[in-house]
Amino acid sequence: MQLQIKYFGLIAEITNCEKETIEFSKTLVSELLEELFVKYPSLKQKDFKVAQNHEIVSNSSEITNPEIALLPPFSGG
Amino acid sequence: MSRYNRHIILSDVGPEGQNKISNAKVLVIGAGGLGCPILQYLTAAGIGTLGVIDFDIVEESNLQRQVLFGTSSLGTNKALAAKERLEDLNPTIQINTYQEALTPQNALELLKNYDIIVDGTDNFETRYLINDAAIITNKPVVYGAIYKFEGQVSVFNYNNGPSYRCLFPITPKKGSVANCSEVGVLGVLPGIIGTMQANEVLKIILGFDGVLSEKLFCYNSKTSETYTLKVKKLDSEIEKVLSEKEHFKTQLFNFNCVSKNVSLKDLHEFKNIQFIDVRELHEEPKIKLDNCIQIPLNQLNNNLDKISTTKTIIFFCQAGIRSRTAVEILEKQNIANCFSLEEGAAAIIEQLKIKA
């Protein structure tokens, strides 16, 4: 499946793009993260939530929708 | 009253709505980049009682975005400086200032006196503190946060809705997310996000249907893109906070807190020290001491077994920054007898030479 991944805040700085399309042949969120950690090793140290179709999903969730987002918390004010 | 005429002629507000605004009590925590536009619009709107809490003073580098302040406010406490400007904007409302930091000790009492809490702070510790205090006192929180060109807005704890912990249950690793003073921010962004927060406050007061609860609104000022995340309530997170209610005031709170930093000159106060060098293996100068081991910071969690449980741990690095992170890592493991050396490795060598 082709996934559209959106990156926010400092996650987008690590990936050096705000969105990208990737080809994903596995099933779980954790498997997607493993692939992303290989591509962007420093993602591993960051806090973020994974959303699928605008809803937060856990690492054990299945990817059923191509719209994915990685959202970190912001603290600035 | 002609001051509020443009509100009153709106059919969704009217004199009744304006009355609600005049009777509302709103506490704005932080009078910085977000706090300034929040306070400005809420004051202009005629919020009956407005509380402002901030311990900080106005600095020149604030003026690029903290629009309530001018050069004449430099060096003044932000809550006070804000009040001065706001009283001119609208002398008919009550403005309470608190020139202090929000802490576990004062948070519950303070929140109790207000109907709506607005989070305009700039650090995670206070955001979680606000969240937890608001759950305990059952107050809605209008949340806003920024990072460089991006902002987030939501309303938490509203009508039994989700809280900040339902979105991000665990306090992020300290230092993993920087604040504006460290990374910079385009001045208009807090203006946009803070104004959206003021808008949510008014929507809550007026009882509008579209309050931004159960949603996290994200805005990117560079790309003009928006993204709305659905936020689900996690009862377990809220129950956790409520179950710790009795210990709220005594919780460990890291903001402006007890120093875990020590200086070389104070080391004689400690007996039985284990030094831990958290620099990378290649970094110079090398420190050779019998009671010193080296564990690079990123390997600390995997080497906890090497850390003495009976000695006082003193972390050091090159400039006293990584060593502070090391202290936090150990605190998370409930190892409390550890400190961060303010000086770096070079100063230790210097000290050793003098002693030798």
Side-chain angles (χ1 to χ4, degrees), chain B residues 53-222:
Chain B
I53 174 167
D54 203 314
F55 67 92
D56 208 2
I57 58 162
V58 181
E59 290 173 45
E60 194 179 13
S61 63
N62 299 149
L63 303 183
Q64 153 262 22
R65 65 192 183 285
Q66 301 182 14
V67 292
L68 284 179
F69 312 129
T71 45
S72 64
S73 322
L74 294 177
T76 312
N77 172 271
K78 287 186 180 177
L80 271 190
K83 185 179 179 177
E84 204 169 305
R85 167 75 191 104
L86 297 172
E87 275 182 335
D88 181 46
L89 177 59
N90 190 346
T92 69
I93 68 165
Q94 169 71 35
I95 300 171
N96 302 327
T97 57
Y98 308 93
Q99 300 175 56
E100 57 195 303
L102 191 79
T103 65
Q105 287 72 44
N106 65 16
L108 297 180
E109 289 306 313
L110 200 57
L111 265 65
K112 266 180 202 159
N113 298 322
Y114 294 89
D115 311 319
I116 301 170
I117 313 305
V118 192
D119 179 352
T121 60
D122 65 356
N123 63 85
F124 286 117
E125 290 85 349
T126 317
R127 292 186 183 281
Y128 281 91
L129 175 65
I130 293 170
N131 178 77
D132 296 353
I135 289 174
I136 292 169
T137 55
N138 196 20
K139 309 283 178 179
V141 176
V142 179
Y143 159 89
I146 52 176
Y147 179 78
K148 289 187 180 177
F149 296 93
E150 293 175 60
Q152 299 175 338
V153 188
S154 187
V155 176
F156 294 119
N157 211 34
Y158 175 72
N159 278 353
N160 218 11
S163 76
Y164 185 54
R165 280 193 195 273
C166 302
L167 176 62
F168 297 113
I170 305 160
T171 317
K173 303 183 245 319
K174 232 184 179 180
S176 70
V177 186
N179 64 35
C180 297
S181 55
E182 289 160 2
V183 299
V185 60
L186 196 69
V188 185
L189 178 70
I192 295 169
I193 299 300
T195 308
M196 288 193 71
Q197 288 178 270
N199 187 46
E200 291 306 312
V201 171
L202 293 176
K203 282 160 68 181
I204 294 171
I205 294 168
L206 294 167
F208 288 174
D209 290 334
V211 172
L212 203 52
S213 173
E214 302 181 311
K215 286 175 199 141
L216 180 77
F217 176 83
C218 306
Y219 172 69
N220 185 323
S221 66
K222 225 161 58 174

Side-chain angles (χ1 to χ4, degrees), chain B residues 4 12 51 68 83 93-94 97 238 264 275 297 302 333:
Chain B
Y4 305 120
D12 287 338
L68 284 179
K83 185 179 179 177
I93 68 165
Q94 169 71 35
T97 57
I238 290 168
L264 271 175
F275 284 105
L297 184 62
N302 301 328
Q333 303 296 328

Side-chain angles (χ1 to χ4, degrees), chain A residues 6 8-10 13 18-19 45-47 49 51 54-56 67 69 71-77, chain B residues 33-34 121-122 124 127 145-148 150 152 167 172-173 176 220 223 225 227-230 232:
Chain A
K6 289 186 177 172
F8 293 83
L10 49 69
E13 286 171 17
E18 265 138 8
K19 50 187 153 188
Q45 279 101 46
K46 299 298 171 191
D47 293 294
K49 286 282 166 190
H54 298 250
E55 280 188 48
I56 294 172
E67 213 215 351
L71 299 113
F74 294 170
S75 70
Chain B
L34 293 171
T121 60
D122 65 356
F124 286 117
R127 292 186 183 281
I146 52 176
Y147 179 78
K148 289 187 180 177
E150 293 175 60
Q152 299 175 338
L167 176 62
K173 303 183 245 319
S176 70
N220 185 323
T223 61
E225 284 201 28
Y227 179 91
T228 306
L229 176 75
K230 288 174 208 154
K232 281 197 188 128

